Amino acid sequence: MLLGTYSPFSVSFVRGVGSRLYDSTDKSYLDFASGVAVTGLGHSDPLILEALSRQLEKIWHVSNFFHITSQERCAERLLSLSPFASGVFFCNSGAEANEAMLKLSRRTHYVEGQGHRYRTLTFRNSFHGRTFALIAASGRSSHLEGFGPPMDGFDIVDVGDHAGIESAIDDETAAIMIEPIQGDGGIFVIPNEELRYLRALCDSRGLLLLFDEIQCGCARTGKLWAHEWSGISPDILTSAKGLGNGIPVGAVLASERCAVAFAPGCHGSTYGGNTLAMEVVLATLSRFSGSGFLSSVIEKSSLLRELLEDLQGRHGDIILEVRGKGLMLGLALRRGSAHDFAARALSLGLVVIPCSGNVVRLLPPLTISLEDIREGVDLLFSTCSGFVCDES
Ligand SMILES: *Cc1c(COP(=O)(O)O)cnc(C)c1O
């Protein structure tokens, strides 16, 4: 048996093409989830498939005891698209990327003679991953329960509570860590002026600003990184989900100041930056940076947003609010559970996923067609129409 960590829906998908998924009876579903914002280029993208197949026949694994030239090419590519950064570390997942980011932020202060700075301010409703450090960082009681005392080093504050944020900073504070759009916590867009406030605060207090763009990055908002809309940049950024389009990979992008803090022996990963993942990331990045790609995401997201607002107008009985940015949107439900809503949508052939705060998450592939967007919203309408809630 499997350990009971998940309670999956009963459907099991056996193949996928573009924004379509198929179950074992060949019933087709429209994908409005992309895993969890992972398969941003849809399923079976020919360029990704070709990049991976080519590498599969050459070599899979050599370890980081040897130069992996695709790792260097991939880093150069990422850096050329991310002007704030001058160094990259590759790992295999979001949690690993965030762990490395936190270690790098502490280590930066350490090499600057400020080793007493180790604490990180984090925000309520955040989700950063499931390791001991990261469940403490997010502070969600359901994730901490039964695992002993939360790891020390995190102070949780509220977005927008400037007095609370400033009074939580002391001599031991190293960094402020935030998702520019909170994902799992309920699709909350952090306003641009709030990100700018945090940047200015970090600068004036000598703190590092850490962005977790594991869900909101990778072109999901129509820019490679969600924070680009704010005009400011972080000292360190993490990416994962959409970066490998389904092949496990994570990345930490560090500014010049932080990039020098890791020396041989400081940190590492057996699989991090392996040859298969690197080829996929290179292909993924070339799709993201292809001409017209980002503007098409913006065009699609305006249509989806408009249709969802219209849906909310017609089904205000069920939908309280439409939130989010780009193709990272959420429907906050007025009644009923987001889980039941997602189950009903699935039975009608639409894949959406629930998240905290009774929100239905919509994360379609960035390559979805305008037609499929219209069809998806029609299916959401049908989902609302027959949605019977247990409670009201
Ligand atoms: C998914 C997610 C993580 C954790 O990533 P894993 O690959 O599951 O470890 C961290 N931060 C954010 C914002 C995420 O959405």
Side-chain angles (χ1 to χ4, degrees):
M1 69 160 206
L2 297 171
L3 298 191
T5 46
Y6 309 110
S7 49
F9 295 112
S10 54
V11 173
S12 158
F13 300 116
V14 295
R15 67 190 179 91
V17 183
S19 355
R20 297 279 157 179
L21 285 161
Y22 298 87
D23 70 12
S24 51
T25 69
D26 221 34
K27 179 180 169 188
S28 145
Y29 299 77
L30 183 55
D31 186 2
F32 259 39
S34 312
V36 183
V38 169
T39 49
L41 298 173
H43 303 277
S44 319
D45 181 272
L47 193 76
I48 307 284
L49 205 57
E50 206 225 285
L52 185 58
S53 317
R54 229 187 308 115
Q55 189 58 39
L56 273 170
E57 300 189 346
K58 288 189 198 157
I59 194 163
W60 293 16
H61 181 79
V62 294
S63 93
N64 285 303
F65 277 101
F66 304 94
H67 274 292
I68 298 173
T69 57
S70 55
Q71 219 177 83
E72 282 155 20
R73 276 187 287 127
C74 204
E76 290 319 312
R77 194 69 198 261
L78 264 175
L79 295 173
S80 73
L81 299 168
S82 317
F84 73 91
S86 68
V88 183
F89 174 80
F90 288 109
C91 52
N92 314 286
S93 70
E96 279 178 81
N98 279 341
E99 285 275 340
M101 173 159 75
L102 288 165
K103 285 175 76 177
L104 184 61
S105 77
R106 292 183 183 190
R107 181 89 191 170
T108 300
H109 287 294
Y110 170 80
V111 301
E112 291 178 355
Q114 301 275 307
H116 55 281
R117 289 187 185 265
Y118 75 101
R119 306 191 66 82
T120 305
L121 259 57
T122 54
F123 291 87
R124 219 169 306 286
N125 288 318
S126 64
F127 177 78
H128 296 298
R130 298 293 203 141
T131 62
F132 275 113
L134 299 171
I135 58 177
S138 300
R140 211 179 292 176
S141 54
S142 61
H143 292 178
L144 285 162
E145 192 182 342
F147 297 121
M151 195 182 139
D152 177 41
F154 299 96
D155 300 297
I156 299 169
V157 293
D158 289 293
V159 174
D161 175 15
H162 294 185
I165 292 169
E166 284 161 45
S167 69
I169 296 172
D170 65 20
D171 293 350
E172 294 184 330
T173 309
I176 299 180
M177 179 182 189
I178 192 165
E179 297 156 84
I181 302 174
Q182 293 182 322
D184 202 62
I187 313 289
F188 291 106
V189 179
I190 309 300
N192 288 333
E193 57 276 18
E194 208 50 40
L195 294 178
R196 290 194 282 263
Y197 158 77
L198 293 174
R199 177 72 273 174
L201 182 64
C202 285
D203 290 344
S204 73
R205 305 293 292 267
L207 311 180
L208 298 169
L209 184 58
L210 317 182
F211 284 167
D212 174 346
E213 292 224 19
I214 288 163
Q215 192 165 151
C216 63
C218 287
R220 193 123 293 268
T221 64
K223 300 226 185 244
L224 181 60
W225 306 121
H227 74 262
E228 290 173 39
W229 293 100
S230 71
I232 56 99
S233 35
D235 296 288
I236 317 177
L237 174 147
T238 49
S239 176
K241 293 193 164 84
L243 192 61
N245 221 60
I247 293 299
V249 65
V252 180
L253 277 68
S255 65
E256 200 171 2
R257 174 179 172 194
C258 301
V260 296
F262 271 175
C266 280
H267 191 62
S269 160
T270 297
Y271 290 125
N274 76 86
T275 59
L276 301 177
M278 291 301 96
E279 291 303 328
V280 170
V281 173
L282 279 162
T284 301
L285 291 174
S286 75
R287 296 280 273 112
F288 291 162
S289 54
S291 113
F293 187 90
L294 295 175
S295 58
S296 81
V297 173
I298 295 173
E299 184 200 353
K300 287 162 194 187
S301 70
S302 349
L303 175 69
L304 179 55
R305 180 95 200 193
E306 185 189 313
L307 294 174
L308 291 175
E309 270 157 15
D310 178 62
L311 173 71
Q312 195 231 337
R314 290 186 293 157
H315 262 302
D317 55 329
I318 311 274
I319 301 168
L320 182 66
E321 192 189 0
V322 179
R323 291 206 283 263
K325 186 165 188 163
L327 289 175
M328 179 172 181
L329 297 164
L331 304 175
L333 299 190
R334 186 183 294 285
R335 59 197 182 86
S337 88
H339 186 275
D340 293 350
F341 187 100
R344 181 170 157 73
L346 191 61
S347 72
L348 297 173
L350 178 71
V351 182
V352 295
I353 45 176
C355 63
S356 303
N358 216 22
V359 172
V360 176
R361 254 188 292 194
L362 310 176
L363 303 157
L366 309 175
T367 50
I368 194 169
S369 67
L370 299 177
E371 259 178 324
D372 281 350
I373 288 178
R374 287 200 183 85
E375 185 184 330
V377 177
D378 287 345
L379 288 167
L380 286 169
F381 183 83
S382 309
T383 306
C384 286
S385 297
F387 189 47
V388 185
C389 309
D390 289 343
E391 1 100 62
S392 54

